Amino acid sequence: MTQPADRRPDRTSNTRRTAYTLPVCLLALAAVAGAAVTALAPVDARGWAGAAAAGGWVLLAVAVCVGTVKANGLRARTAEAEDELLRTRAQLDSRTAEDMGLAQVTLPAVARLAREGVAPDEVLRQTRPPALPSQRELLRVCVTALADAEQRAVAAAAAGRSAADDVARMSDDVRRLAGETLPSVVDKLRGGASVDRVLAGMHWPQDPALRDLTEAAVRELALSERRAAAAQAASAKALSRVQAKSVSMLADLRDMQDRHGEDVFGDLLAIDHSTSQLGLMTDRLALLMGGRSSRAWNKPIVMESILRGAVGRIAAYQRVRLHCSTRVAVVGFAAEGVMHLLAELTDNAANFSPPTDEVHVYVEESRTGVVITIEDSGLRMSEAALRRAEESVSGQMTDLALLQGTRLGLAVVGRLAVKYGMNVSYRPSARGGTGVVVLLPPQLIAQQAQAESAPAATPVTTAAAPALSGTDAVPAPRRSGDTRTAPAAHATPAEGTEIPGHVAFEEHSTGRERTADGPDAHDQVAGHARHSATRSPQDSPGAPGTQPPAGGGTDGRGATLGGLPVRRPGRTMAAAHAELQERQAAHARDRENTTRTPGTPGPAPADASGPAGTEGTAGPEGTAPGRRQRTPRDIGAGFGAFHRASRAADESEPPPRAE
Amino acid sequence: MRRPVDVGAPDRLYTVTGGRSRSDGSSFDLVTLIVAECEPSVGQQSEHRRILELCRHPTAVVEIAAELSLPITVVRILLEDLQATGRIVPRHPRVAASATLPDTALLTEVLHGLRNL
């Protein structure tokens, strides 16, 4: 039990001496104590006491010796253990250093090599192997794992790149498909190309799925395009038949209105009105379906007729007031379009105004064309409605898909406006309703009757036109003649040399008038007329047929041989008198002219037409409507109308003898 | 399909008469002579203008109808319009015919002419 007490002081360095002094002191003290006990003991017990003390001391000494020896042994073992500890610590330090080296130098190098793609064995060979086998094993495992991971990372990166490439390619494909291919395909399909041709010519996407999708979409698109086109064509075709029927009905009705008397006239007018409305509806549909208008005019139409023709096609035509004082005419090719457009707009105006209010149509000429204003006093259109209407009439919404329900009229207006370059705009009307302003550009305007003195320009052509309608070559020259010189041609016959048919008439009438000059002149004139007849072979041969006989006792001065004035149909006797006198005066002047210039170098035909020209230019100065010269065909047509009119009016009366 | 080319006038008769189909009290015979009382003016309907131009000299109703190529009924309605505003005056035929009586020789000539027809 003392051992722990003994071992404690051994820890310090200088306790070794005290380790031996303490037992010696203890033994000395014990010896002193024994001696003292022996001395102090009674004498008779001194022997025993001394013996006991000596025996105790010896035992103590033995115990102390044993303890000391054991303590020394323990001390040596402690020192040994401390040495062992130091050694182990050093070893641990070196091992830690190596570990650090492995972690900080070797492993990064290995990792770098592995990342560079060096094989694991090569990496191990290039690296300085660690001292310890365990570390070598660790390194080997690390290198293997690293190489494995590196390989896997490379593979993953490659896969990622290829996936990104795929995505980019596909998005390119899709973009191209949407941006270029499909629009061009749609264009081609709308242009009438067949599906297979379009599919063969188009740029295919690379992705198979996208290819399938594209093909399916294109085929479906082509099918629906074809379906729409077929539907449109079929309805346009069907509508064209209805159009033709309604046009012929209108013509028949006009005929009946001429033939029948007052008792059925009102009914005929009612049917006429219905048929006209029917025509407007059919035309509207036909235009939307890509068809054509039912009518086409081959001559300029004066604005008044345009307006009437437009208003006559709507239901509420009696509510429309026309204010038209201009005498401009619309060129023939655009006349039907303008009429249809105005009909739609007036119909709209009449439908959207109270049934008791009037719709006013004003026409004014301006420098930029002709302005037609249609004003109603109905509800003022809202801003949005105005905008929608403006959009509709702007002609930008040409697709049938954009049609709003049954409101087709404005879409038709838009198409017509774009087709003929007209400008249609909406504005609030001063009357409280809405005003539509239509601007006809100057190229649609045919300047016609210049002077008031030629009033018969257009209406008379309506009488003369049927005779000319059979030819194909006539309309074009007629139009140019009408636009520039038609009024003049009617007022002064000899000037209208642009119109082949008229030349023949004029020459004939001139020739008839000049018969008195002698057969020679007549032959020349007739020859010239034949010459001009070759220019319009279909027209001129009819001229002599319709011409009243030039003989029969009349001379060329519009009077009989006995001086009786020749009165033409439609002319009063007084007018015929005045005409005769004027013509005689003109003839005298004419003869003076020809005698004054006998040496004119012109050949005979020029001579024949020359006097006619001078007469023509001299004549019209005093042109009064009553003195108008009329072509033979005019006379014939007038007489026919006269005949019909009188017979229709009074059928019981015996008809006047025709010829 | 051959495309029809229209040659007539586009205005229908009911637009000419403004929807009327019958003249009220028909004071115009077929041969009533009509005389214009004023010159045609700019704002008028073109048919009215033409009637006024034709009737500077007395003209019969049938002649007007023939000249305008309109049915008699329409012409009557138009004439009534003009008469209502005092622009024309109907005149009996005999009044115009008795202006100058031709002599016998002239009448003989007429007879010859008629026989030659």
Side-chain angles (χ1 to χ4, degrees), chain B residues 20-68:
Chain B
R20 291 165 294 172
S21 61
R22 146 182 323 270
S23 49
D24 307 330
S26 186
S27 58
F28 297 100
D29 194 1
L30 278 189
V31 288
T32 310
L33 288 182
I34 309 294
V35 183
E37 289 288 310
C38 65
E39 288 292 307
S41 60
V42 174
Q44 279 173 322
Q45 205 180 339
S46 64
E47 284 80 13
H48 286 164
R49 274 205 307 269
R50 292 199 56 215
I51 290 175
L52 290 180
E53 277 156 10
L54 280 174
C55 297
R56 282 185 181 136
H57 303 287
T59 311
V61 173
V62 272
E63 287 195 79
I64 295 173
E67 192 73 30
L68 268 61

Side-chain angles (χ1 to χ4, degrees), chain A residues 296 299 304 308 312 570 572 625, chain B residues 6-7 14 46-47 56 58 63:
Chain A
K299 60 173 189 290
E304 188 185 24
R308 281 188 195 159
T572 57
Chain B
D6 294 85
V7 288
Y14 51 89
S46 64
E47 284 80 13
R56 282 185 181 136
E63 287 195 79

Side-chain angles (χ1 to χ4, degrees), chain A residues 28-201:
Chain A
L29 275 177
V32 168
V37 165
T38 312
L40 288 176
V43 184
D44 48 345
R46 215 171 262 180
W48 292 99
W57 190 81
V58 169
L59 281 176
L60 186 65
V62 167
V64 165
C65 282
V66 167
T68 306
V69 168
K70 283 231 171 138
N72 282 343
L74 279 176
R75 210 170 282 140
R77 212 177 294 164
T78 307
E80 214 172 278
E82 278 185 353
D83 283 352
E84 180 72 27
L85 182 66
L86 284 176
R87 252 200 330 275
T88 308
R89 200 169 277 166
Q91 208 173 359
L92 185 66
D93 283 350
S94 79
R95 186 85 58 90
T96 309
E98 270 190 29
D99 279 349
M100 288 301 284
L102 185 67
Q104 289 183 346
V105 178
T106 314
L107 281 184
V110 164
R112 201 178 60 241
L113 284 173
R115 209 173 297 136
E116 283 166 2
V118 183
D121 296 341
E122 185 69 15
V123 172
L124 285 179
R125 211 177 311 133
Q126 284 182 11
T127 323
R128 185 180 58 84
L132 293 175
S134 65
Q135 286 188 339
R136 275 202 293 277
E137 184 59 25
L138 178 69
L139 185 64
R140 198 185 57 78
V141 168
C142 275
V143 165
T144 313
L146 258 179
D148 196 22
E150 190 61 33
Q151 267 179 3
R152 226 172 283 157
V154 166
R161 260 198 307 280
S162 83
D165 283 354
D166 278 354
V167 166
R169 207 167 43 240
M170 190 173 265
S171 78
D172 271 359
D173 269 353
V174 168
R175 203 172 301 129
R176 181 158 184 178
L177 191 66
E180 298 170 23
T181 313
L182 283 184
S184 80
V185 161
V186 169
D187 282 352
K188 279 186 199 160
L189 286 177
R190 293 230 167 103
S194 74
V195 196
D196 294 329
R197 202 160 152 196
V198 169
L199 285 178

Side-chain angles (χ1 to χ4, degrees), chain A residues 292-296 336, chain B residues 1-5:
Chain A
R292 295 197 271 201
S293 297
S294 55
R295 323 194 71 174
E336 180 61 27
Chain B
M1 192 184 88
R2 200 182 142 282
R3 188 143 189 236
V5 173

